[in-house]
Amino acid sequence: MSASVTLPRMMEIGGGAIARTPDLVKNLNASRVLLITDKTMVQFGYADKVQQLLTQADIESRVYADTIPEPTASSVDEAVQIAKDGGFDCLIALGGGSAIDSAKAIAILAHFGGKMRDYKVPRIVNEQGLPIIAIPTTAGTGSEVTKFTVITDDATDEKMLCVGLGFSPTAAIVDYELTMSLPARITADTGIDALTHAIEAYVSRKASAFSDFNALEAMRLIAPNLRTVYHNGSDTNAREAMMRGATLAGIAFSNASVALVHGMSRPIGAFFHVPHGLSNAMLLPSITAFSIQEAPERYAQCAVAMGLASAADPIDVANTRLVEELAAINQELKVPTLEEFGVTRDNFESVVDTMIEQALASGSPANNPRVPDPEEMKSLYRGLWS
Ligand SMILES: [Fe+2]
């Protein structure tokens, strides 16, 4: 059976890659760029740097720096209007997953109109909007190479998963130097997100030889460097490995999908504003333990790729080490419990059934090796309180 693979048309990868931004714009035959970013990127001077590079190459640009973390449908309205009115022929998305996810929504809405909820799954959005050059500044979401965006519906708080070639950036610039000043907390959250992408892509029911190759390499890069970048953010080699690992993990899950962790994580983010990587981290050890029985060899291979076991070790030994390691990472990287994050049990219980509905509607749980029924999902959610 063949595997379907989608990738950006161009990628520029490595330290200093950002300097190639104008060349990529010109390769797209574009001349008027709307740079979608956030205020932190302006403060760090990255937005200025990109704009200077464009100006030096005689490319017109305007900066829109009001994207928000965990973007909502209404949060992209203003930029959609600017993109429509300004005659732009290219978007550059500069920032973490939220800036890139916002740009993906803007690229489609500015071109085709409508509301974001018109574009959520099960619809597959293969229409081509404005071309996007994605420049990630975290080693995490992989959004620079994926055909997904996640936008929250203001009315229902649902984190809508939107899928299709229309959300795949045309180009990606993967420059680890942009991650050197990331604070430890964001480094940890985004790094665990990337590890989750690699593991979920590898155990996904939609995995292929192509996604496996990328997922395993991502685990080999991320696992030994995650603690290092958290404790010592100036370690250049570790930052570079994390960036490459995160992009490879993005390629893996864009082509194999994520599974139960992401499916159950999005509603936690939507209802309690837990950052995406953190809600994944909270769920990853227990959902891995729950799922292993249906794919013990695959999970054991994850343990081997992460350097936790050798191929000669018994499968159950490798799997035990994997679950222990995922819990140990959370402890060392100070991932809070839901309670420590400030969520109350009563509030959680009042929405748990809706969270289960939304998780199932996203389709991600169906990719898991062990597909839970709603009661099992409820006990996995409640497990976050034990
Ligand atoms: Fe993710």
Side-chain angles (χ1 to χ4, degrees), residues 21 24-25 28 90-94 131-135 169-173:
T21 306
L24 269 62
V25 173
L28 294 172
C90 176
L91 301 182
I92 290 182
L94 172 72
I132 299 172
I133 299 174
I135 310 179
T170 313
I173 294 176

Side-chain angles (χ1 to χ4, degrees), residues 193 197 262 276 280:
D193 186 29
H197 295 154
H262 272 75
H276 174 69
N280 281 340

